[in-house]
Amino acid sequence: MKLKWIVLICVCLSLVLAPLKVDAKPSVSARNAVLMEQETGRVLYEKQAHEKRNIASITKIMTAIIAIESGMMDDTVETSKRAVYTEGSSIYLEEGEEMKLEDLVYGLMLRSGNDAAMAIAEHVGGSMEGFVHLMNQKAEWIGMNHSHFANPHGLDADGHYSTAYDMALLTRYAMENDVYKKIAGTTTYKSETRTYAWGNKNKLLTRLYDYSTGGKTGYTKTAGRTLVSTAEKDGMNLIMVTLNGPDDWNDHIHSFNWGFKTFEMRDLREEGEQSLDSTTGYLWNTVKAPLTEEEYKQVTTKTQIQKPSDYESFNSILGQAIFEVDGEVVATAPVMADPMRATQTKSFTQSVFSLFKEIIGAK
């Protein structure tokens, strides 16, 4: 009889504690990690996310986005001796071989070719050193304040480092580019100059995780296993970065599952009127943020009037709406002077951006 009571108590305890275990924050093997929601940039989970570390081949995300934005994707690149003899992973380029820059970027991202990285750098930047300068300029522009690049491939080198958080910022930026998004999410690709197809080394994308949309693997002895991956479910896009993670596949799967279960993209304010002190402004779009059910009940809103710059005066930006939960900013949105101007400005901005892409693509 006593044994039956013990069994019953254990069963009851397991039922009570099971949900707590599912909802608990992820426990990852990695030394450094961050889970970020893509639309807002909100950090949902972090572990020593701002520690500077060697990052190995996830460096190639920066190399890829610079190559894509260069407007040279249709260029034919001649492989140099320096590129061919770059150590580490390779797509087996030969000296003097010609390959389209687009194909090199696929070889860079899917097969992690260090030779491809060097060939890209020399063509786009004029030299490896010139390309590295572009990498550091881009990092500064994105806000990667604890990063510095010394090469385009990620082999260990003095002055080559980043953080889990900075790499999430980079990935968030890159995923706004449709070409990058397509390449990072490609499982196989055949170059015009190859008789066989390249398979993507990212196992989350190819077979381990149904919601995976892309990413980049990396490894050196010093850096350990590094991994950046992205996933989408129910309208929410997540970015996961781990550095020195011996069990990185599972780190990412468990973190994504936790994120998708715990948070939901919730509407904070519909597009339309927004009070701004003594005047009324307007929001371009519905403001959303990843929130738990409990957080959603605690959201507070405040507005902030900005001293207009010349650009903001032209666009009639009055200020911004700030959405917080317990003091943490979870979303911000610009407040426009009037709905007609907001619509015109939005259309004008989109038109200029489209024209710019056409001009760049035509080079």
Side-chain angles (χ1 to χ4, degrees), residues 170-191:
L170 172 61
T171 305
R172 183 186 179 208
Y173 171 82
M175 288 296 285
E176 293 299 317
N177 184 291
D178 289 339
V179 176
Y180 173 86
K181 190 174 180 180
K182 177 185 176 183
I183 293 172
T186 297
T187 55
T188 59
Y189 180 82
K190 183 180 175 299
S191 167

Side-chain angles (χ1 to χ4, degrees), residues 276-279 303-308 317-322:
L276 194 68
D277 285 355
S278 59
T279 188
T303 54
Q304 185 177 74
I305 295 177
Q306 297 177 182
K307 182 179 179 180
I317 297 175
L318 299 176
Q320 64 176 338
I322 303 169

Side-chain angles (χ1 to χ4, degrees), residues 10 62-63 73 102 115 150 157 170-171 180 206 215 232 328 334:
C10 289
M62 177 65 86
T63 304
M73 290 288 273
E102 180 183 24
D115 50 354
L170 172 61
T171 305
Y180 173 86
T206 58
E232 188 276 332
E328 177 193 353

Side-chain angles (χ1 to χ4, degrees), residues 40 47 73-74 128 130 150 198 216 227 236 242 253 256 280 290-292 296 308 313 315 322 335:
T40 62
K47 177 183 178 183
M73 290 288 273
D74 290 328
M128 188 198 82
W198 292 320
K216 183 71 191 73
L227 181 62
M236 181 160 67
T242 49
I253 291 170
F256 282 140
T280 299
L291 299 167
T292 65
Y296 185 57
S313 297
N315 286 282
I322 303 169
V335 180

Side-chain angles (χ1 to χ4, degrees), residues 116-179:
M118 188 63 76
I120 291 167
E122 291 179 331
H123 185 79
V124 174
S127 66
M128 188 198 82
E129 293 73 19
F131 190 81
V132 166
H133 178 71
L134 296 178
M135 296 174 80
N136 287 311
Q137 275 191 328
K138 177 65 74 175
E140 183 179 359
W141 188 84
I142 293 172
M144 300 171 68
N145 297 325
H146 298 95
S147 301
H148 189 270
F149 295 93
N151 61 59
H153 39 65
L155 292 174
D156 298 330
D158 291 339
H160 192 90
Y161 56 82
S162 188
T163 69
Y165 177 77
D166 279 6
M167 291 306 297
L169 287 182
L170 172 61
T171 305
R172 183 186 179 208
Y173 171 82
M175 288 296 285
E176 293 299 317
N177 184 291
D178 289 339
V179 176

Side-chain angles (χ1 to χ4, degrees), residues 213-316:
T213 57
K216 183 71 191 73
T217 60
Y219 174 80
T220 67
K221 287 184 178 179
T222 304
R225 293 175 63 90
T226 62
L227 181 62
V228 173
S229 67
T230 57
E232 188 276 332
K233 183 181 179 184
D234 297 332
M236 181 160 67
N237 291 280
L238 299 181
I239 298 165
M240 181 71 179
V241 181
T242 49
L243 307 180
N244 193 9
D247 193 22
D248 51 7
W249 303 127
N250 284 321
D251 286 348
H252 285 235
I253 291 170
H254 294 156
S255 297
F256 282 140
N257 286 342
W258 172 80
F260 289 131
K261 179 177 177 59
T262 306
F263 298 88
E264 181 181 331
M265 292 303 290
R266 299 175 187 269
D267 292 350
L268 301 181
R269 188 63 54 85
E270 294 289 335
E271 176 182 358
E273 289 189 6
Q274 171 66 51
S275 296
L276 194 68
D277 285 355
S278 59
T279 188
T280 299
Y282 296 84
L283 297 174
W284 276 5
N285 299 303
T286 297
V287 183
K288 298 173 178 283
L291 299 167
T292 65
E293 187 174 349
E294 190 61 32
E295 286 176 333
Y296 185 57
K297 299 173 185 176
Q298 300 172 8
V299 174
T300 59
T301 308
K302 64 181 181 181
T303 54
Q304 185 177 74
I305 295 177
Q306 297 177 182
K307 182 179 179 180
S309 64
D310 291 339
Y311 175 78
E312 288 164 343
S313 297
F314 172 76
N315 286 282
S316 295

